[in-house]
């Protein structure tokens, strides 16, 4: 982990209680878990509704990062879109280049892809439609995908598939976070057990279109995160 | 936006490399001679001889479309090509697969470099190049256009003028000039095909008020775009007119304009058909810039 200690040391030296971080990187670290277990493609997990599951895919978007200063000033971080894949460790850590920020400043970001990026054509990088996080028969990004298998699913190859998206009201599936910045990194813990808390996989194992089901699952997924 | 990008898009449009088994290109269902649709095919064909669910739409004046596809599911021209590339009934591939194939092609690496100063093929660049070609498919040199520019001079015969008058009185509220579409969705009173069970716009919006609504298509070059309707059920314009005269099925979502049947004498019907032929734009249909590039 790369910390920039110099500004902290200077602040401590000067005895300021108001810590100021000069232009530096804010490290974002994502830790996917199933309760307290790490998630492996080869392992089985049991949900609180007693379904045995194995994960084959979990991907989601974190986008549109903004630094909100104490004085209300908002600095949008251009092109800050990240596609996180829990099975690709290189996507679980990234750093944001922030201008000078103080410990009372806040970081805003979105879980999913917002309306503007859904309605302005083909984008690049993490948002390139060739990443497979885009519907084709109906325009719109898939904000997150959770796929796996469970003997409870009476589907082809016992698969469960949740492709959640939809940018239009009343079922806009975008969710957002606003977090106080008080250190040089931000940890996002994703507890996937919570995603299955209300789902009985024998009954609900496929949500692949926008709508009220997708909307509800977007909230459930959002609540599976703890940020500190 | 550049000539190089247009030419790259043209190559992609005509290249079956976009399909899973290298058999289907965009031009398979969008032929220039038919104003970029597929004549004599009710429903589009895809890889392995699979037959799709809808009649391919003609491609022209796309920059003025507010949505794409018969059901309006696609919200931006740059993303339109994803639908046929990914559909199992059409090209059966994915943008990801297409990008990998193009990145392995020396020819395309060079063409991408010429367009983007970077030979790396990406999904975005591929979609932008296709857009650059399709957005240039503009038809505006029909006899009708010349007549309008001439401010109603003698370019039209009396019969064509009469047909235009009938058109404006009976058809223009949906097929609005100058695009000959209002870009909206209407239920035009067709019986639901029991094999296709296609409810159109409702499948996108999940709203019952959109049941059986489909995009109002442009009528430009209509003479060369048969068969007609989203499922290609009518082979001739005569059949289309008889549908509006006698075949309307009334239902909750029927377009209010169609509450009463089209009431035309035999002579008026012929005049209308003659007028519709003035929407043919031969300069567009035979423009070399849009033709097969290989």
């Amino acid at each position: 982990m790369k910390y920039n200690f110099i500004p902290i040391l200077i602040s401590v030296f000067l005895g300021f209680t108001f810590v100021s971080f000069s232009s530096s990187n804010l490290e974002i670290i994502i830790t996917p878990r199933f309760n307290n277990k790490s998630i492996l493609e080869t392992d089985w997990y049991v949900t609180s509704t007693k379904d045995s599951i194995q994960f084959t895919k979990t991907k989601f978007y974190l986008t549109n990062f903004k630094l909100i200063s104490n004085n209300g000033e908002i600095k949008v971080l251009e092109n800050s879109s990240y596609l996180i894949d829990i099975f690709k460790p290189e996507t679980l850590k990234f750093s944001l280049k922030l201008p000078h920020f103080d410990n009372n400043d806040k970081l805003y970001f979105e879980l999913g892809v917002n309306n503007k990026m859904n309605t302005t054509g083909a984008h690049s990088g993490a948002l390139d439609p060739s990443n497979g996080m885009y519907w084709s028969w109906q325009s719109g990004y898939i904000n997150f995908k959770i796929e796996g298998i469970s003997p409870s699913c009476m589907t082809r190859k016992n698969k469960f598939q949740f492709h959640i998206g939809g940018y239009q009201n009343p079922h806009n599936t975008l969710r957002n976070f606003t977090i106080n910045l008080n250190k040089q990194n931000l940890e996002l813990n994703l507890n996937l057990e919570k995603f299955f808390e209300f789902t009985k996989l024998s009954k609900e194992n496929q949500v692949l279109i926008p709508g009220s089901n997708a909307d509800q699952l977007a909230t459930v997924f959002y609540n599976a995160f703890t940020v500190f | 936006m550049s000539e190089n990008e247009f030419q790259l898009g043209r190559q992609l449009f005509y290249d079956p490399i976009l399909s899973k088994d290298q058999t289907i290109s965009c031009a398979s269902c969008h032929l220039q001679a038919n104003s970029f649709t597929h004549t004599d095919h009710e429903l589009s064909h895809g890889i392995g001889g699979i037959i799709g669910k809808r009649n391919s739409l003609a491609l022209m004046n796309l920059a003025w479309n507010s949505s794409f596809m018969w059901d309006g599911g696609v919200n931006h021209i740059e993303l339109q090509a994803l639908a046929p590339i990914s559909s199992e009934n059409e090209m059966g591939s994915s943008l990801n697969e297409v990008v990998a194939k193009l990145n392995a092609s020396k020819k395309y690496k060079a063409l991408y470099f010429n367009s983007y100063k970077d030979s790396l093929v990406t999904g975005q660049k591929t979609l932008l190049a296709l857009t650059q070609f399709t957005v240039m498919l503009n038809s505006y040199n029909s006899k009708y256009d010349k007549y309008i520019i001439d401010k109603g001079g003698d370019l039209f015969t009396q019969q064509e003028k009469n047909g235009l008058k009938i058109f404006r009185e009976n058809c223009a509220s949906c097929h609005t000039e100058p695009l000959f579409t209002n870009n909206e969705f209407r239920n035009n009173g067709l019986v639901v095909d029991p094999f296709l069970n296609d409810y159109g716009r409702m499948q996108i919006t999940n709203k019952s008020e959109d049941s059986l609504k489909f995009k109002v298509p442009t009528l430009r070059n209509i003479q060369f775009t048969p068969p007609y309707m989203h499922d290609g059920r009518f082979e001739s314009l005569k059949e289309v007119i008889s549908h509006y005269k006698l075949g309307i099925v009334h239902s909750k979502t029927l377009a209010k304009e169609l509450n009463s049947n089209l009431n035309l004498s035999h002579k008026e019907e012929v005049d209308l058909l003659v007028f519709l032929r003035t929407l043919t734009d031969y300069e567009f249909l035979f423009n070399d810039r849009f033709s097969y590039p290989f």
Side-chain angles (χ1 to χ4, degrees):
Chain A
M1 241 176 277
K2 240 173 60 187
Y3 287 94
N4 187 354
F5 283 113
I6 297 162
I8 303 172
L9 289 175
I10 293 171
S11 305
V12 170
F13 177 73
L14 294 173
F16 289 165
T17 50
F18 190 76
V19 182
S20 176
F21 305 99
S22 67
S23 174
S24 60
N25 294 339
L26 178 75
E27 194 126 329
I28 312 281
I29 301 153
I30 298 124
T31 313
R33 300 214 163 256
F34 195 90
N35 263 340
N36 47 12
K37 293 184 207 126
S38 35
I39 298 180
L40 298 172
E41 279 170 288
T42 46
D43 276 6
W44 286 89
Y45 304 88
V46 181
T47 68
S48 48
T49 52
K50 302 284 176 273
D51 289 317
S52 293
I53 60 171
Q54 202 172 36
F55 291 96
T56 53
K57 190 181 282 180
T58 299
K59 294 182 181 186
F60 57 93
Y61 275 114
L62 297 179
T63 64
N64 197 20
F65 287 79
K66 294 174 189 177
L67 179 67
I68 304 170
S69 299
N70 209 9
N71 60 14
E73 200 183 311
I74 296 172
K75 163 91 177 112
V76 178
L77 305 181
E78 299 298 337
N79 304 319
S80 54
S81 299
Y82 299 86
L83 178 56
I84 314 301
D85 180 337
I86 67 160
F87 295 124
K88 285 192 181 147
E90 69 273 21
T91 68
L92 297 177
K93 198 161 101 175
F94 57 89
S95 48
L96 296 174
K97 253 197 180 23
L98 293 180
H100 169 92
F101 67 98
D102 294 321
N103 74 341
N104 283 326
D105 291 349
K106 291 182 171 70
L107 188 73
Y108 168 92
F109 57 98
E110 290 165 344
L111 179 61
V113 181
N114 67 18
N115 187 300
K116 184 186 160 200
M117 299 312 274
N118 267 295
T119 51
T120 45
H123 302 294
S124 61
L127 297 180
D128 191 309
S130 66
N131 290 323
M133 296 292 282
Y134 198 92
W135 279 303
S136 55
W137 43 272
Q138 175 172 25
S139 293
Y141 284 93
I142 296 165
N143 290 336
F144 66 92
K145 276 188 186 176
I146 297 176
E147 294 180 14
I149 50 173
S150 167
S152 310
C153 300
M154 294 298 121
T155 54
R156 185 170 166 264
K157 297 179 182 171
N158 301 113
K159 279 186 188 176
F160 61 83
Q161 296 182 75
F162 299 98
H163 293 184
I164 306 301
Y167 62 92
Q168 284 170 311
N169 286 327
H171 299 302
N172 187 347
T173 53
L174 187 77
R175 301 291 182 269
N176 63 67
F177 296 95
T178 304
I179 311 295
N180 280 317
L181 290 176
N182 47 27
K183 50 188 168 72
Q184 289 286 65
N185 63 32
L186 199 67
E187 296 180 50
L188 271 83
N189 282 1
L190 168 61
N191 181 2
L192 279 170
E193 195 214 19
K194 289 198 165 182
F195 182 73
F196 295 90
E197 219 167 46
F198 309 103
T199 301
K200 197 70 198 126
L201 284 173
S202 55
K203 295 206 179 82
E204 187 177 50
N205 44 46
Q206 286 193 342
V207 177
L208 301 166
I209 54 170
S212 60
N213 283 354
D215 203 355
Q216 281 167 21
L217 287 173
T219 302
V220 174
F221 186 58
Y222 174 73
N223 290 333
F225 285 89
T226 353
V227 188
F228 56 91
Chain B
M1 208 184 280
S2 66
E3 177 64 18
N4 284 345
E5 196 183 15
F6 169 84
Q7 292 299 347
L8 167 59
R10 182 178 170 196
Q11 298 265 337
L12 290 169
F13 187 87
Y14 283 97
D15 196 335
I17 196 170
L18 298 190
S19 65
K20 189 172 194 68
D21 60 2
Q22 271 79 251
T23 57
I24 301 281
S25 73
C26 303
S28 300
C29 298
H30 298 285
L31 289 82
Q32 183 179 12
N34 303 108
S35 190
F36 294 96
T37 182
H38 203 183
T39 192
D40 210 22
H41 287 75
E42 291 172 45
L43 303 167
S44 299
H45 294 203
I47 53 166
I50 301 171
I51 295 178
K53 289 183 167 171
R54 289 185 184 149
N55 177 18
S56 64
L57 279 158
L59 308 183
M60 71 196 105
N61 304 336
L62 298 175
W64 290 273
N65 275 23
S66 45
S67 64
F68 301 84
M69 312 292 275
W70 280 105
D71 54 24
V74 174
N75 69 17
H76 198 291
I77 188 172
E78 290 170 12
L79 297 158
Q80 167 58 40
L82 275 175
I85 288 172
S86 322
S87 166
E88 286 176 13
N89 297 328
E90 297 175 58
M91 291 171 166
S93 184
S94 68
L95 187 58
N96 191 19
E97 246 178 56
V98 168
V99 166
K101 281 197 249 175
L102 295 173
N103 263 321
S105 151
K106 273 192 183 155
K107 175 188 133 181
Y108 278 106
K109 296 290 276 183
L111 289 171
Y112 275 72
F113 184 82
N114 290 343
S115 295
Y116 303 107
K117 303 291 162 263
D118 179 356
S119 65
L120 181 72
V121 178
T122 68
Q124 184 197 38
K125 288 179 196 165
T126 305
L127 295 173
L128 292 181
L130 280 164
T131 301
Q132 191 55 77
F133 177 70
T134 53
V135 83
M136 299 304 281
L137 302 175
N138 293 323
S139 175
Y140 50 87
N141 285 314
S142 65
K143 188 175 182 183
Y144 159 84
D145 292 304
K146 289 168 184 165
Y147 172 74
I148 295 293
I149 290 166
D150 194 38
K151 296 194 167 58
D154 290 332
L155 286 171
F156 265 13
T157 63
Q158 192 50 50
Q159 192 178 24
E160 287 164 343
K161 285 180 186 170
N162 197 33
L164 173 58
K165 184 169 171 283
I166 294 162
F167 175 83
R168 284 178 171 161
E169 286 166 2
N170 294 284
C171 319
S173 54
C174 296
H175 295 288
T176 315
E177 295 168 73
L179 296 168
F180 291 86
T181 170
N182 57 2
N183 273 325
E184 290 176 12
F185 302 89
R186 291 284 190 277
N187 169 356
N188 65 343
L190 297 168
V191 186
V192 180
D193 181 309
F195 291 95
L196 298 172
N197 283 313
D198 190 347
Y199 288 82
R201 181 80 178 144
M202 185 174 79
Q203 284 155 232
I204 298 296
T205 63
N206 290 320
K207 289 179 185 161
S208 58
E209 66 257 36
D210 288 330
S211 173
L212 299 171
K213 289 186 184 175
F214 292 88
K215 179 78 162 274
V216 175
T218 178
L219 302 186
R220 285 181 173 271
N221 297 300
I222 194 76
Q223 177 187 356
F224 288 106
T225 66
Y228 305 104
M229 305 298 152
H230 64 275
D231 54 9
R233 68 177 69 188
F234 299 135
E235 284 180 22
S236 68
L237 288 170
K238 215 169 151 36
E239 284 174 70
V240 174
I241 292 176
S242 16
H243 165 71
Y244 288 118
K245 282 171 79 171
L246 305 161
I248 299 285
V249 177
H250 288 259
S251 66
K252 269 186 189 164
T253 58
L254 180 71
K256 62 178 186 337
E257 294 87 348
L258 300 177
N259 275 329
S260 50
N261 291 341
L262 180 64
N263 185 10
L264 297 179
S265 68
H266 178 69
K267 185 195 167 295
E268 287 170 324
E269 191 178 321
V270 173
D271 290 355
L272 178 59
L273 286 168
V274 167
F275 163 72
L276 290 173
R277 289 178 168 238
T278 70
L279 300 178
T280 298
D281 176 356
Y282 291 99
E283 292 171 46
F284 174 67
L285 299 175
F286 294 97
N287 187 338
D288 285 342
R289 275 178 69 70
F290 304 146
S291 64
Y292 192 69
F294 301 119

